[in-house]
Amino acid sequence: VEPIGRELVRRLLPRRDPEGHKGTFGKVLCLCGSVGYTGAPVFASRGAVRSGAGLVFLGVPESIWPVAAVKSDEAMPFPLPEAEGRLSLLAEETIRRRAAGCDAVLLGCGLGRGRQTDALVRRLMDLPQPLVLDADGINALAANIDILKNIKAPVILTPHPGEMSRLTGMSIADIE
């Protein structure tokens, strides 16, 4: 485990080709949002754009797609099948197809919790792309954290103290 700081970022990020274009600077798939959590997917996809990704695709539950589409100036939102306002297992095939053309996947911001959504998160753990797991993506695995031992692609977890507490069984006071 290495903290992310200025020197690490400089060491890891390649120099950008001044003659490059959006298709040469990486493609990110963000899988975020649910009814009641429409800001999280927009902020997450903006973060991916601002960090330098050339193309950012934003998969959201179909009922919040109009909100995400209106709020997204640079990311490209698209609707996915949902159950009770959250991503459903029916979204898996489309997600896998979209992820195949991407360099990294972000999963979890504002995703919400539900039986199908949690199952979808667990099923997506075998994606070959590097994965950033945040918020409810982490929470969906808390009871099955050992699933991370078998993942072949790099995984970055971004827990806040409450999520870290659920993952480790430590108290929040011990984490902070």
Side-chain angles (χ1 to χ4, degrees):
V1 176
E2 182 176 354
I4 297 174
R6 185 178 303 237
E7 292 306 315
L8 175 64
V9 171
R10 280 190 183 142
R11 198 169 64 241
L12 294 177
L13 290 179
R15 292 213 172 267
R16 289 176 76 102
D17 180 353
E19 295 182 21
H21 57 82
K22 63 184 176 183
T24 61
F25 295 131
K27 298 173 185 149
V28 176
L29 173 59
C30 300
L31 301 166
C32 309
S34 60
V35 170
Y37 295 96
T38 58
V42 173
F43 288 132
S45 62
R46 283 182 188 162
V49 168
R50 290 179 181 167
S51 70
L55 293 169
V56 177
F57 304 97
L58 174 58
V60 297
E62 56 194 342
S63 65
I64 70 164
W65 175 80
V67 175
V70 167
K71 290 181 170 184
S72 298
D73 296 325
E74 296 164 314
M76 295 169 283
F78 62 95
L80 287 167
E82 67 178 75
E84 300 175 350
R86 295 179 295 272
L87 293 180
S88 78
L89 286 167
L90 294 175
E92 183 178 2
E93 182 180 333
T94 302
I95 289 169
R96 289 185 181 281
R97 193 171 52 252
R98 291 277 188 146
C102 291
D103 302 299
V105 175
L106 165 66
L107 177 58
C109 305
L111 207 56
R113 298 292 310 279
R115 186 184 58 77
Q116 284 202 43
T117 306
D118 286 0
L120 178 64
V121 169
R122 290 189 299 273
R123 290 178 69 137
L124 293 175
M125 290 298 102
D126 68 351
L127 288 172
Q129 293 79 8
L131 178 67
V132 176
L133 202 57
D134 184 58
D136 285 328
I138 294 171
N139 291 330
L141 298 183
N144 303 295
I145 198 63
D146 287 345
I147 197 169
L148 294 175
K149 292 179 182 176
N150 299 319
I151 295 176
K152 293 179 176 57
V155 177
I156 296 173
L157 302 178
T158 60
H160 61 56
E163 293 158 353
M164 182 62 93
S165 175
R166 282 188 287 284
L167 287 173
T168 64
M170 296 172 61
S171 74
I172 292 176
D174 291 336
I175 293 169
E176 293 176 329

